Amino acid sequence: MTAALTGAVIVLVGVFGFLNGFRDASTSVALTVRTRALTPRIALVLTATFNVLGTLTSAWLLKNIGMAFIAVPDGGDGLVLLAATLVAAILWGVYGWWKGFPASSTHALVGGLIGASVGLTLLGDRAPSHLDSVFWVSVGLPLVLSPLLAFGAAFFLTPLVTWMMRYSQPNQAHAGLRAAQSVGASIVAFGHGLQDGQRLMALFIVTALGSEAGFGEVPVWAAVAAAAAMGAGTLAGGWRITYTLSHRLVRVDPLRAFVSQLVTSVMLVFGSLGLHWPLSTTHTVVASVLGAGANQDFAAVNGPLVVRLIRFWLLTPLTTAVLGFIFGLAFEPFEDLRWRP
């Protein structure tokens, strides 16, 4: 039963990684495809490549800064906890894709972890330590700060870029901005790999080797498995969410799409390499798009949809916490089978 339970959780980690790439591919390609900077197929291949490169590079980050967020108990307690957490995050991710709503996979994961921990603690099992700090560092502060920073930066940067392009012919300006968008989409995908790749690798390592293994040396197989899952998901492409970002949310032109990708690229890469912040790619992209679009004179932003998205973001950790709690109670008997002599 030991190998079966471990194998089942590893499969769930792979599914979660695939879904992560599948959903968040939309945030990298939506604006590029909307402004016709790249065709959908080329955009997916380009972003998948840089997503894989970012994921592999994140092994260096994981090795140097570690991941306190995946501090789960060893043995059957930890495996059941991870299984409940991952199932909750996967189900919410699939629901969000079906609705066409972009949301943070990390926030779903943390919510499921907290809910499953509470459920298993009620049954007398061990729970991860420092759950309060995990919530505030991985969900609370990024949920509030990263969208505000992205919105504000895009809002104030848009007039500056417009002023800089004031003497350019529209067709020449748009051609240059579309070329810059191709680079921007690649950097956003790379930043997404940096952010989410290290968390996916940590899940693989903790599941297979236990939390005591540490992250001083990241196994090659964990890095390759994480990169493969994220890359395959990105190539599959979550077009429902792409349509929401590129058509339903904001009427965007090449200049505002460029500003949005510039802000997102800087925040994701600098946040990972410089500050080691756990930023949400989805929240950063959506907020920067809204910031750039809000500077237009006409009604470019779909206000009711923005309200629904914010409500969905707030519900993400709460709903996955409830699901994690339920699945933690449901999966607890497997822990007994796991350790029964």
Side-chain angles (χ1 to χ4, degrees):
M1 191 66 185
T2 302
L5 187 55
T6 302
V9 178
I10 288 177
V11 170
L12 287 174
V13 175
V15 173
F16 175 77
F18 178 90
L19 185 63
N20 189 310
F22 178 73
R23 288 171 45 80
D24 289 353
S26 310
T27 60
S28 301
V29 306
L31 300 179
T32 306
V33 173
R34 177 68 178 89
T35 59
R36 300 189 299 278
L38 294 171
T39 64
R41 186 178 299 275
I42 293 176
L44 279 181
V45 172
L46 184 68
T47 54
T49 300
F50 279 90
N51 207 350
V52 167
L53 291 175
T55 302
L56 294 174
T57 305
S58 73
W60 174 80
L61 287 176
L62 182 61
K63 179 179 177 180
N64 284 274
I65 68 175
M67 280 294 297
F69 145 141
I70 312 281
V72 300
D74 278 328
D77 292 351
L79 290 174
V80 170
L81 177 65
L82 286 174
T85 299
L86 290 164
V87 170
I90 289 169
L91 289 178
W92 186 251
V94 172
Y95 174 72
W97 164 80
W98 180 72
K99 294 286 289 184
F101 288 169
S104 172
S105 300
T106 300
H107 292 179
L109 191 68
V110 173
L113 177 66
I114 292 173
S117 300
V118 172
L120 291 173
T121 301
L122 291 178
L123 297 178
D125 292 336
R126 294 172 291 167
S129 58
H130 312 301
L131 281 180
D132 53 344
S133 62
V134 168
F135 175 81
W136 287 113
V137 172
S138 298
V139 176
L141 292 178
L143 183 64
V144 175
L145 291 181
S146 61
L148 290 178
L149 287 173
F151 181 91
F155 184 87
F156 290 108
L157 190 59
T158 300
L160 176 61
V161 176
T162 303
W163 179 81
M164 293 172 62
M165 306 291 292
R166 67 190 185 282
Y167 296 126
S168 301
Q169 293 297 322
N171 59 338
Q172 294 176 341
H174 286 175
L177 290 168
R178 287 190 179 101
Q181 275 189 264
S182 302
V183 178
S186 302
I187 299 176
V188 171
F190 183 80
H192 173 252
L194 282 178
Q195 286 283 342
D196 288 22
Q198 56 183 306
R199 290 185 269 280
L200 191 59
M201 264 180 259
L203 286 170
F204 275 120
I205 293 171
V206 168
T207 301
L209 305 178
S211 59
E212 296 300 324
F215 307 115
E217 292 294 334
V218 177
V220 174
W221 67 265
V224 171
M230 295 269 281
T234 304
L235 282 176
W239 294 112
R240 283 176 177 266
I241 299 174
T242 300
Y243 183 77
T244 297
L245 290 176
S246 60
H247 289 80
R248 297 174 60 198
L249 187 63
V250 176
R251 280 183 278 176
V252 67
D253 57 22
L255 186 146
R256 287 168 175 80
F258 164 76
V259 170
S260 172
Q261 290 184 321
L262 176 62
V263 170
T264 304
S265 301
V266 171
M267 287 187 63
L268 289 180
V269 176
F270 182 68
S272 294
L273 300 179
L275 301 176
H276 308 312
W277 281 0
L279 299 180
S280 166
T281 306
T282 298
H283 291 183
T284 306
V285 170
V286 173
S288 64
V289 170
L290 291 174
N295 253 308
Q296 302 185 64
D297 294 331
F298 53 89
V301 177
N302 185 341
L305 179 59
V306 173
V307 173
R308 291 199 296 271
L309 284 181
I310 293 175
R311 185 169 60 229
F312 191 79
W313 289 357
L314 295 174
L315 283 174
T316 292
L318 298 176
T319 305
T320 53
V322 173
L323 291 174
F325 178 84
I326 294 171
F327 285 114
L329 298 180
F331 293 165
E332 198 273 341
F334 291 99
E335 176 191 328
D336 296 334
L337 291 175
R338 158 70 176 82
W339 294 107
R340 181 177 298 165

